[in-house]
Amino acid sequence: MKKLLCLFMAGALLSSCEKKSDDTTTDPEPTPTAPSPTVNIPGAMGSLIAIKTSSTVSVPGLGDQTTIIGTATANFSNGTSTSVSAGTVECMNQKLTSQNGAYFYKPGFTNPSGIDFDGSAVEWDVAGNGSIPAFSYNYMEEVPQIGSIIGASGDVKRSDDLTISIDMGNVSTDISSADSLMFNVIDKNGKTLMQTTSPNTTSYTFSASQMGTLAEGFAYVQVVGYNYLLRTETGYEVAYINLGAMTKNVTLK
C-alpha cells in the first residue's frame, strides 16, 4: 500500500469584547489549503511526480465546470537526509523551484493551466549534485486524469456510510493508464480515511463507524489515480510517478 501524506491548517475563531454590546463579531474560519496528493514508493531514493490536479466550480448558467492543472514535484534522499539538492530539475522542459531540498512547479499568470501532460510520455531532466547523479528519462506512460467524482457533496453525515465513485462518464476522466486508485476523506485536522484499490474498482464505501472518527466541519474528499516505474539511474533508485487527483470540499456533520 502506498500512503498519502496530507497536511492541513485550521483557522481560529476570534471574538470581540471591546465593550458591552448585543452584537458579537466573529471572523469566519478560513478555508484550509487543499491537500497535495503524493505517493511513496518503497525502495525509492528519489521521486519524480507528474500531477494533474482537477477541481470543479459551479458557473451560473453553465453548471459545474472542471479545471485541470498540470504540476510536478521532486524529492531526493542521500540515505541520511530526506531532502537534498539534485541541482536543476526540469519536467517537460519546465524548471522546478527548489525550496529546503524539495522541488515543485507552480503555475503562474502566463501559464495558469501549468505543465501540458496531454502526451503519452513525461520527460524529466536532473542536473545532479553530490551523491545524486545527473540523468534524463522519458517515462512512457500517460498521466491519469479524473474529471469528476460523485457520491459526496455539500453536507455529509458522519453517522452514515459514504460511497465515493469516479464519474466514468465524465469527458475529462481517463484512468486507463492507472495502476492503482486511492480514495481519501480528510477532515480539518488532517485525519485521513484512506483505501487503495485496483484500477477496476472505481467506487469505495467508508462505513459509518469509520466516518464517525472524523471531526465535524470542513473536509475534503479526494480520489487519486496513479502509475509508477522504479528505475535505477547510475546506481540511484528513482520512482517515476504519474498521478491524477480530483478533490472536492464537503462539510462533515
Side-chain angles (χ1 to χ4, degrees):
M1 293 291 180
K2 287 80 178 180
K3 296 182 180 178
L4 182 75
L5 303 179
C6 303
L7 182 64
F8 292 97
M9 294 187 68
L13 298 178
L14 303 176
S15 299
S16 172
C17 55
E18 183 176 350
K19 61 181 179 180
K20 190 173 182 179
S21 171
D22 292 333
D23 296 329
T24 300
T25 301
T26 303
D27 292 338
E29 185 174 358
T31 301
T33 301
S36 179
T38 189
V39 176
N40 293 327
I41 306 302
M45 294 288 286
S47 296
L48 304 174
I49 309 176
I51 306 170
K52 282 186 178 180
T53 60
S54 306
S55 60
T56 56
V57 293
S58 182
V59 179
L62 297 176
D64 288 346
Q65 301 295 304
T66 300
T67 300
I68 300 173
I69 297 175
T71 63
T73 64
N75 197 77
F76 303 88
S77 170
N78 61 7
T80 56
S81 178
T82 56
S83 296
V84 297
S85 173
T88 301
V89 176
E90 293 185 355
C91 180
M92 304 297 286
N93 296 315
Q94 299 295 316
K95 183 179 178 181
L96 274 61
T97 299
S98 176
Q99 187 173 36
N100 298 324
Y103 291 82
F104 62 92
Y105 180 84
K106 185 176 181 179
F109 290 109
T110 58
N111 61 336
S113 60
I115 302 174
D116 183 0
F117 290 126
D118 288 338
S120 58
V122 178
E123 179 182 346
W124 287 95
D125 293 286
V126 177
N129 181 61
S131 62
I132 313 300
F135 59 91
S136 297
Y137 185 68
N138 288 352
Y139 179 32
M140 302 299 293
E141 288 287 350
E142 293 184 355
V143 181
Q145 185 170 294
I146 299 175
S148 178
I149 55 178
I150 54 181
S153 61
D155 293 344
V156 174
K157 293 183 178 180
R158 297 181 301 131
S159 57
D160 293 342
D161 294 349
L162 175 63
T163 299
I164 307 168
S165 304
I166 298 175
D167 184 358
M168 298 301 295
N170 188 284
V171 295
S172 296
T173 293
D174 183 359
I175 59 171
S176 58
S177 64
D179 294 330
S180 302
L181 301 175
M182 189 185 299
F183 297 83
N184 306 287
V185 184
I186 311 111
D187 71 14
K188 65 181 181 181
N189 299 322
K191 179 178 174 60
T192 302
L193 301 180
M194 178 180 62
Q195 180 65 42
T196 302
T197 71
S198 75
N200 297 321
T201 304
T202 60
S203 179
Y204 187 78
T205 299
F206 291 101
S207 67
S209 60
Q210 291 175 299
M211 293 296 297
T213 65
L214 301 176
E216 291 186 43
F218 195 93
Y220 283 104
V221 172
Q222 185 180 71
V223 180
V224 178
Y226 63 93
N227 58 64
Y228 75 91
L229 171 69
L230 190 60
R231 175 182 163 90
T232 301
E233 305 288 1
T234 317
Y236 189 79
E237 292 291 324
V238 178
Y240 296 91
I241 304 168
N242 290 343
L243 182 154
M246 163 61 78
T247 304
K248 292 178 65 176
N249 59 286
V250 297
T251 301
L252 299 179
K253 295 291 189 177

